């Protein structure tokens, strides 16, 4: 059975200045490949999407993407769903609006791999499940943040650090180690939310004064631990 991706609106201001697409993770399941709006990996992104919307102060259009299938189907990957979603956003919003991608786990991987799409200006990958070679792409002109909990036992932080070194060859990259953070982002959840929201708003809104947290992240020349 085939399934279709879906966009869930979180914030739709009348005159948005940029658009943010929030991407969930979640492992595959052979018995039910469909994505449910109530599965935990999807629900984890709800507070993050809302925080991004609040941080945008009615200047950011924010949408959550529900993938066509769970996990990472190599025949139709979450990156294909991101491509579909970006096309939908470009039809719904004024032409040429910058786009920010925010993803967790496999959604973080999808955000990185889709970061070279047209109009994408910023990428945030939270506890991304990646291969080191996932950073072998050209993200010139993008600002990228990878934030990874030090106690993540599902997505190995060392792999995202290796991928980050590759991303840094072309992109303006920041890497944050969230002390004690685990994969589900329940521990240190507010830190993950703040990083995603404030970094994205600062990157997409040209006249937005960076918060003290974002200044600290942008100024770091090596992995920063919070």
């Amino acid at each position: 059975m085939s399934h279709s991706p879906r966009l869930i609106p979180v914030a739709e201001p009348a005159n948005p200045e940029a658009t943010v697409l929030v991407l969930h993770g979640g492992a595959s399941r052979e018995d039910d490949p469909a994505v449910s709006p109530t599965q935990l990996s999807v629900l984890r992104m709800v507070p993050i999407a809302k925080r991004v919307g609040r941080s945008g102060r009615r200047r950011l259009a924010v949408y959550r993407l529900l993938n066509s299938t769970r996990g990472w189907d190599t025949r139709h990957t979450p990156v294909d769903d991101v491509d579909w979603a970006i096309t939908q956003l470009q039809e719904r919003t004024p032409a040429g609006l910058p786009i920010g991608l925010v993803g967790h786990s496999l959604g973080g991987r999808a955000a990185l791999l889709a970061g070279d799409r047209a109009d994408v200006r910023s990428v945030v990958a939270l506890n991304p499940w990646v291969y080191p070679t996932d950073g072998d792409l050209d993200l010139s002109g993008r600002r990228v943040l990878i934030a990874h909990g030090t106690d993540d036992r599902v997505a190995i932080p060392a792999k995202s650090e290796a991928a980050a070194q590759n991303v840094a060859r072309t992109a303006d990259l920041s890497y944050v180690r969230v002390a004690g953070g685990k994969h589900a982002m329940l521990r240190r959840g507010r830190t993950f939310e703040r990083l995603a929201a404030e970094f994205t708003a600062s990157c997409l809104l040209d006249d937005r004064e960076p918060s003290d947290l974002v200044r600290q992240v942008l100024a770091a020349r090596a992995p920063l631990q919070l």
Side-chain angles (χ1 to χ4, degrees), residues 25-212:
S28 60
R29 281 177 52 178
E30 293 184 5
D31 61 322
D32 184 7
V35 172
S36 167
T38 60
Q39 70 188 57
L40 292 179
S41 57
V42 172
L43 293 177
R44 287 184 190 114
M45 302 310 291
V46 171
I48 290 175
K50 290 181 177 179
R51 183 72 176 260
V52 173
R54 292 195 301 272
S55 185
R57 298 173 185 173
R58 300 200 58 77
R59 298 170 66 188
L60 297 178
V62 183
Y63 298 85
R64 291 191 295 115
L65 172 63
L66 300 187
N67 290 339
S68 54
T69 58
R70 295 178 184 238
W72 196 279
D73 186 336
T74 55
R75 295 166 297 178
H76 181 95
T77 75
V79 178
D80 296 314
D81 291 333
V82 174
D83 286 339
W84 170 86
I86 288 176
T87 299
Q88 294 295 309
L89 295 179
Q90 290 170 333
E91 293 176 356
R92 295 186 185 194
T93 57
L97 287 189
I99 296 172
L101 303 176
V102 178
H104 169 244
S105 190
L106 287 178
R109 184 188 191 198
L112 288 169
L113 294 181
D116 62 348
R117 273 41 175 192
D119 296 332
V120 172
R121 182 185 292 181
S122 69
V123 175
V124 175
L126 306 171
N127 290 345
W129 195 101
V130 295
Y131 294 104
T133 53
D134 285 340
D136 293 338
L137 66 166
D138 188 353
L139 295 182
S140 300
R142 280 77 172 175
R143 279 232 48 114
V144 179
L145 168 64
I146 298 177
H148 212 136
T150 59
D151 291 354
D152 190 341
R153 299 296 179 262
V154 176
I156 307 304
K159 291 185 177 181
S160 70
E161 291 206 33
Q165 292 177 7
N166 290 326
V167 171
R169 295 172 184 169
T170 60
D172 196 351
L173 176 113
S174 300
Y175 191 98
V176 175
R177 298 171 181 147
V178 181
K182 294 187 176 182
H183 191 67
M185 301 187 298
L186 299 178
R187 181 187 296 178
R188 303 294 310 278
R190 291 184 179 179
T191 298
F192 284 108
E193 291 172 19
R194 281 193 64 200
L195 283 166
E198 294 179 14
F199 183 89
T200 298
S202 293
C203 292
L204 296 181
L205 302 174
D206 292 333
D207 61 349
R208 175 68 175 265
E209 188 71 19
S211 65
D212 290 341

